[in-house]
Amino acid sequence: AQSVTQLDSQVPVFEEAPVELRCNYSSSVSVYLFWYVQYPNQGLQLLLKYLSGSTLVKGINGFEAEFNKSQTSFHLRKPSVHISDTAEYFCAVSDQGGATNKLIFGTGTLLAVQP
Amino acid sequence: KAGVTQTPRYLIKTRGQQVTLSCSPISGHRSVSWYQQTPGQGLQFLFEYFSETQRNKGNFPGRFSGRQFSNSRSEMNVSTLELGDSALYLCASSPAGEVGNTIYFGEGSWLTVV
């Protein structure tokens, strides 16, 4: 079974500052990793995903994440945030060998960007 | 290309009633999944359908059911509603069955049980 831990429920940050949202996972099998963003009253939008290859993954809106297998982490980073980045961010995993698209989500991190 | 469409967007039901939520996936997508989102439990997987067959099911009671039609559209049903079923129900679709495909989410159906 897999599980995902997002260590911070809320991260306040000032506009134009860098930010890192942390994600750790636990799994007995190889997994694919995802970051989704949810704006108020909306569904989830994929920011980026790691399937294989380079451990540094670049996504939309200037976000990137680094897969660290030894630390079982997949932290999300952005060098300079904007007010419009205020949203809930979810880390998720899926079983590489599974036959379904089932995603296991973390509890989410609310990124609150202040002017 | 139209995204994942869910109807209705908002609904209020009374305890004991049943509800049916509808999802139209992105054109050409054959996999449809459903998730429940609540403040207390977060995002939880309900089930996935692929080519009209349920391929996986989460840990929810039998009151939660779903189906997929030949045009890939999907419905989920919750019978004998309880207060705890109040949640945002998200539908998601992906092009095919392979794990790792990008999964696209709809805006959800907000269900309030009173």
Side-chain angles (χ1 to χ4, degrees), chain B residues 25-37:
Chain B
I26 292 172
S27 178
H29 286 194
R30 295 166 61 196
S31 168
V32 174
S33 303
W34 289 88
Y35 291 81
Q36 182 196 63
Q37 185 176 22

Side-chain angles (χ1 to χ4, degrees), chain B residues 5-11 20-24 34 73 108-109:
Chain B
T5 304
Q6 293 188 242
T7 56
R9 288 294 318 278
Y10 304 91
L11 67 166
T20 298
L21 307 178
S22 181
C23 173
S24 293
W34 289 88
R73 194 177 67 84
S109 292

